[in-house]
Structures are given as structure tokens and as C-alpha cells.
Amino acid sequence: MTPPAEILRLRDVTRGFAEASGLHLALRRVNLTVAEGEFLVITGPSGSGKTTLLHLAALLDRPTSGRIWFDGRDTSVLGDDELSVLRKHELAMIFQNYVLLPYRSVLENVIFRFRYLEHDRTEAVALARQALSRLGLMGLEGRPARRLSAGEMQRVAIARAIVRPPRLLAADEPTGNLDRASTNVIMEHLAGLHRSGITILLVTHNEDLLSYATRHVVCRDGTVEE
Ligand code: ADP
Ligand code: MG
């Protein structure tokens, strides 16, 4: 059997942010390789660099130094346009606080994922309905996002992420604001996506969720340890 292909590789990745006191290193010389099909759970204290790591993995940000390969391509030599093509077609991110359009309907929030893609409106609506139905959100399509519960908002954010299935999904504390029942619902959806072949990177504070992981790493003060 051939081993699963590598989808993501970080080599000596450092990300610094300029601050009054100098350059603050959110990540320092991180090395991490993720194989296609992994469900990687990332834990670690607040401020240890988890969100910074996910944003780099989802190619939403670039390292200050070091290199990131996605699907064998060195992203440091790709221009912003090429990166955005990869982001559109291969990656999706579930942000820490959903990042929905509060006054837009649930359906419009999911369709938003198609804004830079070549789908006509009818096709986008049909795909959005499928995703909403998969997440048990039919019936809420017309409701403005601001009038949803936290669990529903998170399911809309997932529907938006998967309406066009990515190869890698990065989820930043997607159950952080949810009760246990909603947490289980979200995790079962993520597990289903993982079974369908999507590689998942999940940041969480909830040790119970380690049962979903195929591998676990810990962020500590800008470093990543197995
Ligand atoms: P975590 O998600 O583990 O709580 P973050 O990755 O959000 O940690 O942040 C790691 C460190 O980097 C923190 O000290 C944070 O203040 C800093 N940081 C993150 N993003 C920025 C930014 N855009 N500008 C300045 N500092 C940042
Ligand atoms: Mg964070």
C-alpha cells in the first residue's frame, strides 16, 4: 500500500507581528507535516499560536520566514492570485466566531462561498440547499443569521465551508461557545466530512474531542509538539 499523500508541510515556519516593543513571534520555527485524510486536533493554551497556525495552514496568511507546501506546491513562490485559486478550490476555514453576515439570510450566507466562483445563481442555490439540509438547517434558510442560536450559526458556518467540498478544512474552536449537545452535533458533522475524505485541522480546548483525532499536536508558546 502506498502511504497517503502529504497535503500540507510547514518547514521552519515563523510568524512575527510588529509591536511597539519589537517583533512578537506568534510562531517560531514550526515544522509540521499533515497527510491527506488526517483528522489533526490542535490544543494548547490561549495565545500559544493556534489561530495563527490555522490561518497559515489555510493559506490565509503568509509566514514571516520558512515555507509552506500545499499538495506538493511551494506556496512561497505563488503569487496572491495563485494562492486565492488554491483557497477557493481546495481549502475552507471555519473561524472562531463564525463570521457570518448578520443581516443576510442563512441561504445567502452559504451562497457567499460562491462569490468568486463560476457558478450561476440557480446552481449555487441548489448546492446551498443541499449543504443546509445536510446540516439539518432546512426551514431556517430565510432567517437572518443574527437571529440564530450559537449552534445554528456554527452549522451555517460549516455549511458555507463545505458547500463546495474542500480538500482541507481548518476549524478554529468550532465548538467553543456551544453546549454539549450542540458540540456533539457539530463533531458528528466534522467526523462525517472526515470519512468522506476531507483532511481536518481542528483547534479546540475540549479534551473530549481528542477521541475524533487521528493525531494530536500541542501548541506551546509558538511551537508545535506531537
Ligand atoms: P491562540 O489562537 O492560541 O490563542 P493566536 O494565534 O491568536 O493564539 O495568537 C498568538 C500570539 O500572537 C498572541 O500573543 C497574539 O496576541 C499574537 N497575535 C495574533 N494575531 C496577531 C495580529 N494580527 N497582530 C498582532 N499580534 C497577533
Ligand atoms: Mg485562537
Side-chain angles (χ1 to χ4, degrees), residues 15-19 24-27 42-55 61 96 172-173 203 205 219 221-222:
R15 179 64 168 106
F17 295 105
E19 287 190 345
H24 172 79
L25 297 182
L27 291 178
I42 302 159
T43 60
S46 203
S48 60
K50 304 181 299 297
T51 295
T52 304
L53 176 66
L54 275 197
H55 286 183
D61 187 22
Q96 206 157 353
D172 199 358
E173 303 194 33
V203 164
H205 278 110
C219 274
D221 197 19

Side-chain angles (χ1 to χ4, degrees), residues 86-135:
L86 277 182
R87 275 200 304 271
K88 279 195 311 201
H89 294 285
E90 318 249 1
L91 294 149
M93 174 92 199
I94 299 173
F95 296 95
Q96 206 157 353
N97 298 307
Y98 328 124
V99 197
L100 300 178
L101 304 164
Y103 292 92
R104 298 286 192 87
S105 70
V106 164
L107 187 70
E108 289 298 333
N109 268 279
V110 176
I111 288 174
F112 196 67
R113 170 88 171 130
F114 292 108
R115 67 201 178 285
Y116 304 122
L117 289 161
E118 311 71 29
H119 289 261
D120 67 34
R121 169 94 190 164
T122 317
E123 191 186 359
V125 168
L127 289 169
R129 289 224 162 94
Q130 273 173 31
L132 287 170
S133 134
R134 205 167 156 188
L135 283 138

